[in-house]
Amino acid sequence: MAREVIVNASIVSVSELLSHTVVSIFDTVHAAKEVLIQKENFKRFLTYLEKTAYFLKDLSRFNLDHSENLNSAVEILNCETKVAKRLAVECSNKNKVYLLLNCRNIVKHLEACTKEIGRALSLIPLASLDVSLGLSNEISKLCNNMLDAEYRAAGLEEEVLGKIEWAIKEGNVDQSYANNLLASIAEAVGISGDRSALKREFEEFKNEIENFKLRKDMAEAIQMEQISSFLGKADATTSYEERERKYLDKRNSLGRQTLEPLHSFFCPITQDVMVDPVETSSAKTFERSAIEKWFAEGHNLCPMTCTTLDTSVLRPNVTLRRSIEEWKERNNLVIIVSIKQKLQSNEDQEVLQSLGKLQDLMAEREMHQEWVMLEDYVPVLTGLLGKRNREIRIHALSILCILAKGSDRNKEKIAEVDHALEFIVRSLARQIGESKLALQLLLELSRNNAVRDLIGNIQACIFLLVTTLNSEEIEAARDAGELLENLSSLDQNVILMAKANYFKPLLRLLSSGMFL
């Protein structure tokens, strides 16, 4: 359209051309006020645009003649205004997650538009016009400000992009990282932390990926699919049933036996499976710490080829590292599946060894905790709380504590198991080490509203908690006080506390006039 206006310049006055441009600018201003992201940068850009429009309105009052510079200025202004409007519309309608991932490009385009509009203003031949010195100086100042303008993505946006780049580089992230990443994205773009809102935004993001595929923009689609796979591990983006189905499909695709490591997985120096494999200038791969120690001891020859090495060259062998990690995770999943059967053994020593191995795996990666839940370990673990062997009960309580901290869903799954809460409360009355673990587990479970309402109903639970409140064990007394405070949200629990000679919650309710 801008070019058509210039072509017909002989029949359209300069004032009319400038008026059309002003209208176009205000259309862009209106569109830019609706953006979902980069609001501060767009706000700054709008300030430049509005000043430009007002100056053009002032200039349109003069009797201006067509000139090459003036026509070029109008053409650039119209072109860049349209580019800016398209950018603003995209930032108003596109998915917020997609926009965040592209915030650097958005900022770059916004900066380019600003500079081009500034350049267009500088082409207007002010010296040949009968404009006031004040107006001329103001326009020149605006031009310079726009030509020097720089925009930056917000610090939180850069932080999120850094986390995403790290995840892409590593090639794999666990559920904890995915939850953290999704929470950071939600904060950066103003998405509600509500699970349904996060899931809706994630589904829209996946639709954007399909749109890129339809447009044959496969490079963009592949990168977005990588990010989608990371975010898909977060609690809010998939239901428990979806995660369970994916887990079972993966588990059932594996055999029942662990696989031996490939020869290439071993470091030639340590003879151990590598964790951080790096390639030297001789094209041989070693464990990073081992080859760095080799260099530190004064060696500069390759341990395998005896060729001289450039000690400054250590390239991460990303492909090998991922292969090793996939092998480990495949074996760990097989081990987690196999341990469940061993926990039902009549041999206490075998059960203890299996619990120790399971706890080690859960400490290694949060993903393993998810697998333990999906493998339906909770009924087996709560069943072990009825064992005579105290060590077995302590191990089972420790593992349940770890699982309970994982998510609200985990808390609910534990409470849903028949007699699980009764077994845990029974452990409250046992020796101090076991009772402290039972108390920690109940406290963690009480942080879920649905589970909290069930705990006070367990016979003798509140009496045991009040007794613990007066314990010489400072940590146990503190946890008991916090748990009683959580349980005091129900009037029936407050009454039971009073019957156990703990009156603080009752007095608080009476003084507030809320207790009937």
Side-chain angles (χ1 to χ4, degrees), residues 345-356:
S345 167
N346 293 322
E347 296 292 330
D348 285 0
Q349 197 56 39
E350 183 179 12
V351 173
L352 281 170
Q353 289 176 353
S354 298
L355 285 170

Side-chain angles (χ1 to χ4, degrees), residues 165-183:
E165 287 164 356
W166 182 88
I168 291 173
K169 179 182 176 183
E170 290 297 305
N172 193 17
V173 298
D174 59 22
Q175 186 182 17
S176 176
Y177 195 89
N179 285 334
N180 178 273
L181 178 57
L182 189 61

Side-chain angles (χ1 to χ4, degrees), residues 214-227:
L214 290 173
R215 296 201 300 268
K216 307 296 184 184
D217 192 346
M218 296 310 296
E220 185 87 8
I222 289 170
Q223 185 177 52
M224 289 172 68
E225 280 189 327
Q226 277 185 291
I227 298 166

Side-chain angles (χ1 to χ4, degrees), residues 45 80 83 87 104-114:
F45 177 67
E80 293 303 322
V83 170
L87 187 63
R104 288 173 182 160
N105 283 334
I106 293 169
V107 166
K108 182 180 176 181
H109 289 316
L110 202 56
E111 186 174 299
C113 281
T114 303

Side-chain angles (χ1 to χ4, degrees), residues 89-270:
V89 170
E90 183 173 282
C91 289
S92 304
N93 299 327
K94 290 277 189 180
N95 169 258
K96 289 182 179 180
V97 179
Y98 167 79
L99 292 173
L100 174 61
L101 298 178
N102 286 276
C103 68
R104 288 173 182 160
N105 283 334
I106 293 169
V107 166
K108 182 180 176 181
H109 289 316
L110 202 56
E111 186 174 299
C113 281
T114 303
K115 290 182 183 297
E116 280 299 294
I117 292 173
R119 186 172 72 85
L121 283 177
S122 70
L123 293 175
I124 298 175
L126 297 176
S128 64
L129 302 178
D130 187 21
V131 299
S132 68
L133 181 62
L135 178 60
S136 179
N137 287 339
E138 285 185 46
I139 293 175
S140 296
K141 182 179 177 181
L142 177 62
C143 288
N144 292 332
N145 288 341
M146 295 177 81
L147 289 169
D148 294 337
E150 292 183 354
Y151 297 94
R152 293 282 185 271
L156 186 54
E157 292 166 345
E158 287 292 349
E159 182 183 327
V160 171
L161 293 178
K163 290 179 179 179
I164 290 171
E165 287 164 356
W166 182 88
I168 291 173
K169 179 182 176 183
E170 290 297 305
N172 193 17
V173 298
D174 59 22
Q175 186 182 17
S176 176
Y177 195 89
N179 285 334
N180 178 273
L181 178 57
L182 189 61
S184 297
I185 289 173
E187 183 182 357
V189 298
I191 303 171
S192 164
D194 178 69
R195 184 188 182 99
S196 60
L198 290 171
K199 186 171 176 60
R200 181 171 60 253
E201 204 71 34
F202 178 66
E203 292 301 322
E204 289 178 3
F205 175 61
K206 291 199 291 186
N207 289 337
E208 290 287 354
I209 299 174
E210 294 306 313
N211 291 336
F212 274 98
K213 288 181 179 178
L214 290 173
R215 296 201 300 268
K216 307 296 184 184
D217 192 346
M218 296 310 296
E220 185 87 8
I222 289 170
Q223 185 177 52
M224 289 172 68
E225 280 189 327
Q226 277 185 291
I227 298 166
S228 174
S229 70
F230 302 148
L231 296 178
K233 296 178 181 179
D235 288 328
T237 56
T238 54
S239 66
Y240 185 85
E241 290 71 25
E242 288 173 315
R243 294 201 299 275
E244 185 177 41
R245 185 176 65 254
K246 288 180 181 179
Y247 167 78
L248 292 175
D249 287 344
K250 182 175 182 178
R251 185 198 69 176
N252 294 336
S253 69
L254 305 177
R256 294 293 179 178
Q257 300 297 320
T258 57
L259 298 177
E260 292 298 316
L262 298 176
H263 178 72
S264 60
F265 291 180
F266 291 96
C267 171
I269 297 175
T270 65

Side-chain angles (χ1 to χ4, degrees), residues 22 86 92 95 112 146 165 180 241 253 255 270 292 348 369 371 384 395 416 426 440 468 488 506:
V22 168
R86 283 197 300 270
S92 304
N95 169 258
M146 295 177 81
E165 287 164 356
N180 178 273
E241 290 71 25
S253 69
T270 65
E292 286 178 345
D348 285 0
Q369 298 173 29
W371 290 349
L384 293 176
H395 268 294
E416 287 170 4
R426 190 181 300 172
Q440 290 170 17
T468 306
S488 68
L506 178 61

